[in-house]
Amino acid sequence: GAESARRPGVTVDSSKAKTSLEALKISLRQLRWKEFPFGRRLPCDIYWHGVSFHDSNIFSGQVNKFPGMTETVRKITLSRAMRTMRDLFPLEYNFYPRSWILPEELPLFVAEVRTMKDSNPSWKPTFIVKPDGGCQGDGIYLIKDPSDIRLTGSIQSRPAVVQEYICKPLLVDKLKFDIRLYVLLKSLEPLEIYIAKDGLSRFCTEPYQEPTLKNLHQVFMHLTNYSLNIHSGNFIHSASANTGSKRTFSSILCRLSSRGADVKKLWSDIISLVIKTIIALTPELKVYYQSDIPAGKPGPTCFQILGFDILLMKDLKPVLLEVNANPSMRIEHEQELSPGVFENVPSPVDEKVKVAVIRDTLRLMDPQKKKRKDTQCPRGRMSSGPSQADPVVLCCRCQSPERAPGANEEPPDAAPGPEAALPSLCLKQVFPKYARHFSYLRLVDRVAALFIRFLGVKGTTKLGPTGFRTFIRNCKLSNSNFSMAAVDILYIDITRRWNSMGIDHKESGMCLQAFVEAFFCLAQKKYKALPLHKQVLSLIELCECRLAALHGKRLVWGCG
């Protein structure tokens, strides 16, 4: 107890926490950590930002945002990333609705819908249009035909994604609902992902009917956004987790289980969806990360809580709707006392779920945990004991048996502290725990590593023509059938097309998405007889092998 009292507390800068402040304060009180609500002259262990990594300049510690995350999960960028992965692995990425990007793919959208209708006259689709930068349901509308898209001047200045609408969702109490699950990206390299065991279920406020021309405009029937439905006269605020217009996801699972549904399989499918989505997002994130925090430059380590919005179909198949970089962590709602007069009222359902997520995220990121662990075992590593279902590890110094810390267990502390009084972690590790089932999907990650290697200038996110030529030359990809002149033409054509889409004009050059397209094109030229994912894998292995050989030669030359 005396040792615990002498231990310096973890310091948290909450000056930029914004709407997550109340949940953060409760979490810090439960952990007995030191809060600095107005910032601090000295560095803090953890900086909690409400919106962006760039809220202030931070050169040490940990910050709860990744650079570039907001841009990476925008609807258009997410749709492009998912499309790339679906091209490689069609069956593994069938949990995201078919999407088209407006305005650039409007002709393609019109043509594909016409073709599908001609081949299947009974097909009566509905589509949902979502503005790229929209949030809280802003600007979303449903259409039955491509000609119904609102082609105003704003579509050019405010691009959008149009997707197939899920017409047969699972209903509870005759209402459509979605799930907000909280996912912690604890580390990018190595990749480490946790999923909260509970989330929120947000309900529509009018009984669901399949879309028709008459009900397309009824947002309280079709759109599950809390920020929209709270304005409905049918919205029910409830202190119970099992009733009302916002409930815990665990209450829905209990209800499904009581009806005989296979809840374990549903959770397994959701975990798979989350891991595959993060794998699709990490290549772009790594480019942003190396740009903001180049290797060798002082900077913080990053982690982030993401909000996954998931819809369940009638057959319990989960469908990804979108990913939120800044999910709301508010634990109260506004209640109108009289016309125009509002007060904030606590929301027990929000508090139960969100405080646990923030508190246990902080527990996982505790910077003193590693110090305490290293104090117990100075060499700081463990050697595996016998392989068992519940593994035992041996401390390398004393060789005394210890239980391996699992997804829901904390490493043993030197002395009992506030952690002893806390419930078990609400966050379950899913990666690298299940890495062996998903690592084969990380092809674009390896392409991104090649891209970053040839960027050259620190702090940039785009590859210049010299860098692209160096990549081709060092990997020995040019030959009599593919000259360096052809390399230049490929670079110019792809880069010009991507730049014309309005993708980040702040710097010139080839963005990662354009490089991936060029890489796929090279793979298809070189390995014509293979399916796309094997073509890409073959070219990755060839490039990595030749670059490793080149590096080895340079080491020999250096020694010489």
Side-chain angles (χ1 to χ4, degrees), residues 509-537:
M510 176 180 268
C511 64
L512 173 64
Q513 294 162 328
F515 181 80
V516 169
E517 182 184 328
F519 195 91
F520 284 18
C521 180
L522 293 169
Q524 288 168 314
K525 283 177 180 291
K526 195 166 186 66
Y527 305 100
K528 294 179 181 177
L530 299 175
L532 180 61
H533 71 277
K534 290 188 177 180
Q535 291 174 333
V536 172
L537 176 60

PDB file of all heavy atoms in Angstrom, residues 509-537:
ATOM      1  N   GLY A 509       2.011  15.158 -57.113  1.00  0.00           N
ATOM      2  CA  GLY A 509       2.612  13.836 -57.126  1.00  0.00           C
ATOM      3  C   GLY A 509       1.575  12.738 -57.055  1.00  0.00           C
ATOM      4  O   GLY A 509       0.368  12.968 -57.155  1.00  0.00           O
ATOM      5  N   MET A 510       2.056  11.513 -56.908  1.00  0.00           N
ATOM      6  CA  MET A 510       1.214  10.321 -56.912  1.00  0.00           C
ATOM      7  C   MET A 510       0.828   9.942 -55.480  1.00  0.00           C
ATOM      8  O   MET A 510       1.696   9.678 -54.646  1.00  0.00           O
ATOM      9  CB  MET A 510       1.984   9.176 -57.576  1.00  0.00           C
ATOM     10  CG  MET A 510       1.271   7.831 -57.574  1.00  0.00           C
ATOM     11  SD  MET A 510       2.260   6.535 -58.378  1.00  0.00           S
ATOM     12  CE  MET A 510       1.670   6.631 -60.071  1.00  0.00           C
ATOM     13  N   CYS A 511      -0.479   9.936 -55.194  1.00  0.00           N
ATOM     14  CA  CYS A 511      -0.948   9.539 -53.872  1.00  0.00           C
ATOM     15  C   CYS A 511      -0.893   8.017 -53.738  1.00  0.00           C
ATOM     16  O   CYS A 511      -0.679   7.293 -54.716  1.00  0.00           O
ATOM     17  CB  CYS A 511      -2.363  10.047 -53.622  1.00  0.00           C
ATOM     18  SG  CYS A 511      -3.607   9.327 -54.731  1.00  0.00           S
ATOM     19  N   LEU A 512      -1.090   7.513 -52.517  1.00  0.00           N
ATOM     20  CA  LEU A 512      -1.018   6.073 -52.291  1.00  0.00           C
ATOM     21  C   LEU A 512      -2.023   5.312 -53.154  1.00  0.00           C
ATOM     22  O   LEU A 512      -1.700   4.280 -53.746  1.00  0.00           O
ATOM     23  CB  LEU A 512      -1.269   5.756 -50.810  1.00  0.00           C
ATOM     24  CG  LEU A 512      -1.387   4.256 -50.488  1.00  0.00           C
ATOM     25  CD1 LEU A 512      -0.073   3.533 -50.771  1.00  0.00           C
ATOM     26  CD2 LEU A 512      -1.829   4.035 -49.050  1.00  0.00           C
ATOM     27  N   GLN A 513      -3.266   5.809 -53.240  1.00  0.00           N
ATOM     28  CA  GLN A 513      -4.291   5.107 -54.012  1.00  0.00           C
ATOM     29  C   GLN A 513      -3.896   4.994 -55.481  1.00  0.00           C
ATOM     30  O   GLN A 513      -4.136   3.969 -56.132  1.00  0.00           O
ATOM     31  CB  GLN A 513      -5.632   5.827 -53.864  1.00  0.00           C
ATOM     32  CG  GLN A 513      -6.181   5.778 -52.440  1.00  0.00           C
ATOM     33  CD  GLN A 513      -7.250   6.826 -52.193  1.00  0.00           C
ATOM     34  OE1 GLN A 513      -7.223   7.924 -52.761  1.00  0.00           O
ATOM     35  NE2 GLN A 513      -8.205   6.498 -51.336  1.00  0.00           N
ATOM     36  N   ALA A 514      -3.267   6.054 -56.022  1.00  0.00           N
ATOM     37  CA  ALA A 514      -2.793   6.014 -57.406  1.00  0.00           C
ATOM     38  C   ALA A 514      -1.642   5.009 -57.554  1.00  0.00           C
ATOM     39  O   ALA A 514      -1.559   4.269 -58.549  1.00  0.00           O
ATOM     40  CB  ALA A 514      -2.344   7.395 -57.851  1.00  0.00           C
ATOM     41  N   PHE A 515      -0.748   4.969 -56.552  1.00  0.00           N
ATOM     42  CA  PHE A 515       0.365   4.014 -56.587  1.00  0.00           C
ATOM     43  C   PHE A 515      -0.152   2.580 -56.549  1.00  0.00           C
ATOM     44  O   PHE A 515       0.363   1.695 -57.253  1.00  0.00           O
ATOM     45  CB  PHE A 515       1.307   4.272 -55.407  1.00  0.00           C
ATOM     46  CG  PHE A 515       2.507   3.358 -55.369  1.00  0.00           C
ATOM     47  CD1 PHE A 515       3.610   3.590 -56.177  1.00  0.00           C
ATOM     48  CD2 PHE A 515       2.530   2.256 -54.524  1.00  0.00           C
ATOM     49  CE1 PHE A 515       4.716   2.739 -56.148  1.00  0.00           C
ATOM     50  CE2 PHE A 515       3.624   1.395 -54.481  1.00  0.00           C
ATOM     51  CZ  PHE A 515       4.725   1.645 -55.298  1.00  0.00           C
ATOM     52  N   VAL A 516      -1.174   2.336 -55.729  1.00  0.00           N
ATOM     53  CA  VAL A 516      -1.766   0.997 -55.647  1.00  0.00           C
ATOM     54  C   VAL A 516      -2.329   0.600 -57.011  1.00  0.00           C
ATOM     55  O   VAL A 516      -2.144  -0.539 -57.476  1.00  0.00           O
ATOM     56  CB  VAL A 516      -2.863   0.944 -54.555  1.00  0.00           C
ATOM     57  CG1 VAL A 516      -3.672  -0.350 -54.652  1.00  0.00           C
ATOM     58  CG2 VAL A 516      -2.238   1.074 -53.177  1.00  0.00           C
ATOM     59  N   GLU A 517      -3.015   1.538 -57.677  1.00  0.00           N
ATOM     60  CA  GLU A 517      -3.544   1.238 -59.016  1.00  0.00           C
ATOM     61  C   GLU A 517      -2.411   0.910 -59.985  1.00  0.00           C
ATOM     62  O   GLU A 517      -2.495  -0.050 -60.766  1.00  0.00           O
ATOM     63  CB  GLU A 517      -4.357   2.417 -59.542  1.00  0.00           C
ATOM     64  CG  GLU A 517      -4.975   2.142 -60.900  1.00  0.00           C
ATOM     65  CD  GLU A 517      -5.716   3.329 -61.494  1.00  0.00           C
ATOM     66  OE1 GLU A 517      -6.292   4.130 -60.722  1.00  0.00           O
ATOM     67  OE2 GLU A 517      -5.710   3.464 -62.735  1.00  0.00           O
ATOM     68  N   ALA A 518      -1.340   1.707 -59.934  1.00  0.00           N
ATOM     69  CA  ALA A 518      -0.201   1.456 -60.818  1.00  0.00           C
ATOM     70  C   ALA A 518       0.440   0.103 -60.501  1.00  0.00           C
ATOM     71  O   ALA A 518       0.815  -0.654 -61.417  1.00  0.00           O
ATOM     72  CB  ALA A 518       0.834   2.572 -60.666  1.00  0.00           C
ATOM     73  N   PHE A 519       0.544  -0.229 -59.228  1.00  0.00           N
ATOM     74  CA  PHE A 519       1.140  -1.497 -58.811  1.00  0.00           C
ATOM     75  C   PHE A 519       0.307  -2.670 -59.322  1.00  0.00           C
ATOM     76  O   PHE A 519       0.845  -3.665 -59.829  1.00  0.00           O
ATOM     77  CB  PHE A 519       1.253  -1.534 -57.284  1.00  0.00           C
ATOM     78  CG  PHE A 519       2.152  -2.619 -56.757  1.00  0.00           C
ATOM     79  CD1 PHE A 519       3.499  -2.382 -56.536  1.00  0.00           C
ATOM     80  CD2 PHE A 519       1.652  -3.889 -56.489  1.00  0.00           C
ATOM     81  CE1 PHE A 519       4.331  -3.376 -56.057  1.00  0.00           C
ATOM     82  CE2 PHE A 519       2.472  -4.895 -56.005  1.00  0.00           C
ATOM     83  CZ  PHE A 519       3.825  -4.639 -55.790  1.00  0.00           C
ATOM     84  N   PHE A 520      -1.022  -2.552 -59.190  1.00  0.00           N
ATOM     85  CA  PHE A 520      -1.908  -3.608 -59.698  1.00  0.00           C
ATOM     86  C   PHE A 520      -1.751  -3.763 -61.214  1.00  0.00           C
ATOM     87  O   PHE A 520      -1.748  -4.880 -61.735  1.00  0.00           O
ATOM     88  CB  PHE A 520      -3.361  -3.291 -59.363  1.00  0.00           C
ATOM     89  CG  PHE A 520      -3.741  -3.545 -57.920  1.00  0.00           C
ATOM     90  CD1 PHE A 520      -2.774  -3.660 -56.936  1.00  0.00           C
ATOM     91  CD2 PHE A 520      -5.073  -3.667 -57.556  1.00  0.00           C
ATOM     92  CE1 PHE A 520      -3.119  -3.883 -55.603  1.00  0.00           C
ATOM     93  CE2 PHE A 520      -5.441  -3.909 -56.229  1.00  0.00           C
ATOM     94  CZ  PHE A 520      -4.452  -4.016 -55.258  1.00  0.00           C
ATOM     95  N   CYS A 521      -1.607  -2.631 -61.892  1.00  0.00           N
ATOM     96  CA  CYS A 521      -1.430  -2.658 -63.350  1.00  0.00           C
ATOM     97  C   CYS A 521      -0.140  -3.395 -63.722  1.00  0.00           C
ATOM     98  O   CYS A 521      -0.123  -4.236 -64.631  1.00  0.00           O
ATOM     99  CB  CYS A 521      -1.410  -1.224 -63.874  1.00  0.00           C
ATOM    100  SG  CYS A 521      -1.186  -1.089 -65.653  1.00  0.00           S
ATOM    101  N   LEU A 522       0.949  -3.126 -62.989  1.00  0.00           N
ATOM    102  CA  LEU A 522       2.221  -3.801 -63.234  1.00  0.00           C
ATOM    103  C   LEU A 522       2.103  -5.296 -62.956  1.00  0.00           C
ATOM    104  O   LEU A 522       2.643  -6.133 -63.692  1.00  0.00           O
ATOM    105  CB  LEU A 522       3.313  -3.185 -62.343  1.00  0.00           C
ATOM    106  CG  LEU A 522       3.703  -1.731 -62.651  1.00  0.00           C
ATOM    107  CD1 LEU A 522       4.590  -1.174 -61.541  1.00  0.00           C
ATOM    108  CD2 LEU A 522       4.415  -1.636 -63.999  1.00  0.00           C
ATOM    109  N   ALA A 523       1.379  -5.638 -61.872  1.00  0.00           N
ATOM    110  CA  ALA A 523       1.217  -7.050 -61.507  1.00  0.00           C
ATOM    111  C   ALA A 523       0.441  -7.803 -62.588  1.00  0.00           C
ATOM    112  O   ALA A 523       0.773  -8.953 -62.928  1.00  0.00           O
ATOM    113  CB  ALA A 523       0.504  -7.152 -60.161  1.00  0.00           C
ATOM    114  N   GLN A 524      -0.591  -7.153 -63.135  1.00  0.00           N
ATOM    115  CA  GLN A 524      -1.401  -7.801 -64.173  1.00  0.00           C
ATOM    116  C   GLN A 524      -0.607  -7.984 -65.466  1.00  0.00           C
ATOM    117  O   GLN A 524      -0.795  -8.970 -66.188  1.00  0.00           O
ATOM    118  CB  GLN A 524      -2.664  -6.987 -64.420  1.00  0.00           C
ATOM    119  CG  GLN A 524      -3.664  -7.093 -63.271  1.00  0.00           C
ATOM    120  CD  GLN A 524      -4.779  -6.073 -63.363  1.00  0.00           C
ATOM    121  OE1 GLN A 524      -4.544  -4.886 -63.608  1.00  0.00           O
ATOM    122  NE2 GLN A 524      -6.011  -6.517 -63.171  1.00  0.00           N
ATOM    123  N   LYS A 525       0.309  -7.043 -65.772  1.00  0.00           N
ATOM    124  CA  LYS A 525       1.150  -7.171 -66.953  1.00  0.00           C
ATOM    125  C   LYS A 525       2.126  -8.337 -66.816  1.00  0.00           C
ATOM    126  O   LYS A 525       2.391  -9.071 -67.755  1.00  0.00           O
ATOM    127  CB  LYS A 525       1.956  -5.880 -67.169  1.00  0.00           C
ATOM    128  CG  LYS A 525       1.186  -4.715 -67.772  1.00  0.00           C
ATOM    129  CD  LYS A 525       2.090  -3.482 -67.871  1.00  0.00           C
ATOM    130  CE  LYS A 525       1.377  -2.284 -68.460  1.00  0.00           C
ATOM    131  NZ  LYS A 525       1.071  -2.443 -69.882  1.00  0.00           N
ATOM    132  N   LYS A 526       2.647  -8.504 -65.590  1.00  0.00           N
ATOM    133  CA  LYS A 526       3.738  -9.464 -65.385  1.00  0.00           C
ATOM    134  C   LYS A 526       3.237 -10.893 -65.157  1.00  0.00           C
ATOM    135  O   LYS A 526       3.906 -11.858 -65.534  1.00  0.00           O
ATOM    136  CB  LYS A 526       4.589  -9.010 -64.189  1.00  0.00           C
ATOM    137  CG  LYS A 526       5.936  -9.702 -64.097  1.00  0.00           C
ATOM    138  CD  LYS A 526       6.849  -8.990 -63.127  1.00  0.00           C
ATOM    139  CE  LYS A 526       8.243  -9.583 -63.144  1.00  0.00           C
ATOM    140  NZ  LYS A 526       8.955  -9.370 -64.429  1.00  0.00           N
ATOM    141  N   TYR A 527       2.077 -11.042 -64.506  1.00  0.00           N
ATOM    142  CA  TYR A 527       1.581 -12.377 -64.143  1.00  0.00           C
ATOM    143  C   TYR A 527       0.160 -12.556 -64.688  1.00  0.00           C
ATOM    144  O   TYR A 527      -0.807 -12.603 -63.936  1.00  0.00           O
ATOM    145  CB  TYR A 527       1.605 -12.564 -62.627  1.00  0.00           C
ATOM    146  CG  TYR A 527       2.952 -12.314 -61.999  1.00  0.00           C
ATOM    147  CD1 TYR A 527       3.236 -11.101 -61.368  1.00  0.00           C
ATOM    148  CD2 TYR A 527       3.954 -13.282 -62.035  1.00  0.00           C
ATOM    149  CE1 TYR A 527       4.470 -10.863 -60.793  1.00  0.00           C
ATOM    150  CE2 TYR A 527       5.196 -13.053 -61.469  1.00  0.00           C
ATOM    151  CZ  TYR A 527       5.448 -11.833 -60.839  1.00  0.00           C
ATOM    152  OH  TYR A 527       6.673 -11.602 -60.276  1.00  0.00           O
ATOM    153  N   LYS A 528       0.034 -12.661 -65.982  1.00  0.00           N
ATOM    154  CA  LYS A 528      -1.274 -12.611 -66.647  1.00  0.00           C
ATOM    155  C   LYS A 528      -2.191 -13.786 -66.308  1.00  0.00           C
ATOM    156  O   LYS A 528      -3.399 -13.639 -66.296  1.00  0.00           O
ATOM    157  CB  LYS A 528      -1.064 -12.527 -68.167  1.00  0.00           C
ATOM    158  CG  LYS A 528      -0.407 -11.223 -68.596  1.00  0.00           C
ATOM    159  CD  LYS A 528      -0.179 -11.176 -70.093  1.00  0.00           C
ATOM    160  CE  LYS A 528       0.496  -9.863 -70.483  1.00  0.00           C
ATOM    161  NZ  LYS A 528       0.809  -9.805 -71.923  1.00  0.00           N
ATOM    162  N   ALA A 529      -1.636 -14.939 -66.023  1.00  0.00           N
ATOM    163  CA  ALA A 529      -2.470 -16.138 -65.881  1.00  0.00           C
ATOM    164  C   ALA A 529      -3.068 -16.298 -64.478  1.00  0.00           C
ATOM    165  O   ALA A 529      -3.914 -17.152 -64.259  1.00  0.00           O
ATOM    166  CB  ALA A 529      -1.648 -17.375 -66.221  1.00  0.00           C
ATOM    167  N   LEU A 530      -2.647 -15.476 -63.526  1.00  0.00           N
ATOM    168  CA  LEU A 530      -3.065 -15.651 -62.129  1.00  0.00           C
ATOM    169  C   LEU A 530      -4.253 -14.765 -61.779  1.00  0.00           C
ATOM    170  O   LEU A 530      -4.481 -13.730 -62.411  1.00  0.00           O
ATOM    171  CB  LEU A 530      -1.892 -15.317 -61.194  1.00  0.00           C
ATOM    172  CG  LEU A 530      -0.626 -16.166 -61.337  1.00  0.00           C
ATOM    173  CD1 LEU A 530       0.475 -15.615 -60.435  1.00  0.00           C
ATOM    174  CD2 LEU A 530      -0.909 -17.622 -60.993  1.00  0.00           C
ATOM    175  N   PRO A 531      -5.027 -15.120 -60.734  1.00  0.00           N
ATOM    176  CA  PRO A 531      -6.050 -14.191 -60.229  1.00  0.00           C
ATOM    177  C   PRO A 531      -5.372 -12.972 -59.602  1.00  0.00           C
ATOM    178  O   PRO A 531      -4.189 -13.026 -59.232  1.00  0.00           O
ATOM    179  CB  PRO A 531      -6.798 -15.015 -59.175  1.00  0.00           C
ATOM    180  CG  PRO A 531      -5.883 -16.133 -58.815  1.00  0.00           C
ATOM    181  CD  PRO A 531      -5.047 -16.408 -60.029  1.00  0.00           C
ATOM    182  N   LEU A 532      -6.117 -11.874 -59.464  1.00  0.00           N
ATOM    183  CA  LEU A 532      -5.517 -10.594 -59.078  1.00  0.00           C
ATOM    184  C   LEU A 532      -4.737 -10.680 -57.771  1.00  0.00           C
ATOM    185  O   LEU A 532      -3.610 -10.173 -57.692  1.00  0.00           O
ATOM    186  CB  LEU A 532      -6.607  -9.518 -58.975  1.00  0.00           C
ATOM    187  CG  LEU A 532      -6.097  -8.115 -58.574  1.00  0.00           C
ATOM    188  CD1 LEU A 532      -5.103  -7.582 -59.601  1.00  0.00           C
ATOM    189  CD2 LEU A 532      -7.267  -7.147 -58.405  1.00  0.00           C
ATOM    190  N   HIS A 533      -5.288 -11.310 -56.721  1.00  0.00           N
ATOM    191  CA  HIS A 533      -4.579 -11.294 -55.439  1.00  0.00           C
ATOM    192  C   HIS A 533      -3.255 -12.056 -55.532  1.00  0.00           C
ATOM    193  O   HIS A 533      -2.273 -11.681 -54.878  1.00  0.00           O
ATOM    194  CB  HIS A 533      -5.459 -11.863 -54.308  1.00  0.00           C
ATOM    195  CG  HIS A 533      -5.701 -13.325 -54.355  1.00  0.00           C
ATOM    196  ND1 HIS A 533      -6.674 -13.896 -55.142  1.00  0.00           N
ATOM    197  CD2 HIS A 533      -5.083 -14.355 -53.706  1.00  0.00           C
ATOM    198  CE1 HIS A 533      -6.664 -15.199 -54.971  1.00  0.00           C
ATOM    199  NE2 HIS A 533      -5.707 -15.515 -54.119  1.00  0.00           N
ATOM    200  N   LYS A 534      -3.192 -13.086 -56.383  1.00  0.00           N
ATOM    201  CA  LYS A 534      -1.931 -13.808 -56.552  1.00  0.00           C
ATOM    202  C   LYS A 534      -0.960 -13.023 -57.429  1.00  0.00           C
ATOM    203  O   LYS A 534       0.260 -13.094 -57.243  1.00  0.00           O
ATOM    204  CB  LYS A 534      -2.196 -15.196 -57.136  1.00  0.00           C
ATOM    205  CG  LYS A 534      -2.885 -16.132 -56.146  1.00  0.00           C
ATOM    206  CD  LYS A 534      -2.971 -17.551 -56.674  1.00  0.00           C
ATOM    207  CE  LYS A 534      -3.589 -18.480 -55.626  1.00  0.00           C
ATOM    208  NZ  LYS A 534      -3.695 -19.874 -56.106  1.00  0.00           N
ATOM    209  N   GLN A 535      -1.492 -12.289 -58.399  1.00  0.00           N
ATOM    210  CA  GLN A 535      -0.640 -11.401 -59.200  1.00  0.00           C
ATOM    211  C   GLN A 535       0.040 -10.367 -58.306  1.00  0.00           C
ATOM    212  O   GLN A 535       1.260 -10.147 -58.383  1.00  0.00           O
ATOM    213  CB  GLN A 535      -1.490 -10.682 -60.261  1.00  0.00           C
ATOM    214  CG  GLN A 535      -2.022 -11.566 -61.371  1.00  0.00           C
ATOM    215  CD  GLN A 535      -2.977 -10.810 -62.287  1.00  0.00           C
ATOM    216  OE1 GLN A 535      -3.623  -9.842 -61.874  1.00  0.00           O
ATOM    217  NE2 GLN A 535      -3.089 -11.259 -63.531  1.00  0.00           N
ATOM    218  N   VAL A 536      -0.764  -9.738 -57.449  1.00  0.00           N
ATOM    219  CA  VAL A 536      -0.232  -8.687 -56.562  1.00  0.00           C
ATOM    220  C   VAL A 536       0.752  -9.279 -55.564  1.00  0.00           C
ATOM    221  O   VAL A 536       1.833  -8.723 -55.332  1.00  0.00           O
ATOM    222  CB  VAL A 536      -1.392  -7.972 -55.834  1.00  0.00           C
ATOM    223  CG1 VAL A 536      -0.863  -7.020 -54.772  1.00  0.00           C
ATOM    224  CG2 VAL A 536      -2.260  -7.214 -56.839  1.00  0.00           C
ATOM    225  N   LEU A 537       0.407 -10.425 -54.965  1.00  0.00           N
ATOM    226  CA  LEU A 537       1.312 -11.069 -54.011  1.00  0.00           C
ATOM    227  C   LEU A 537       2.636 -11.434 -54.679  1.00  0.00           C
ATOM    228  O   LEU A 537       3.718 -11.226 -54.098  1.00  0.00           O
ATOM    229  CB  LEU A 537       0.649 -12.326 -53.437  1.00  0.00           C
ATOM    230  CG  LEU A 537       1.505 -13.169 -52.488  1.00  0.00           C
ATOM    231  CD1 LEU A 537       1.939 -12.361 -51.274  1.00  0.00           C
ATOM    232  CD2 LEU A 537       0.765 -14.434 -52.056  1.00  0.00           C
TER     233      LEU A 537
END
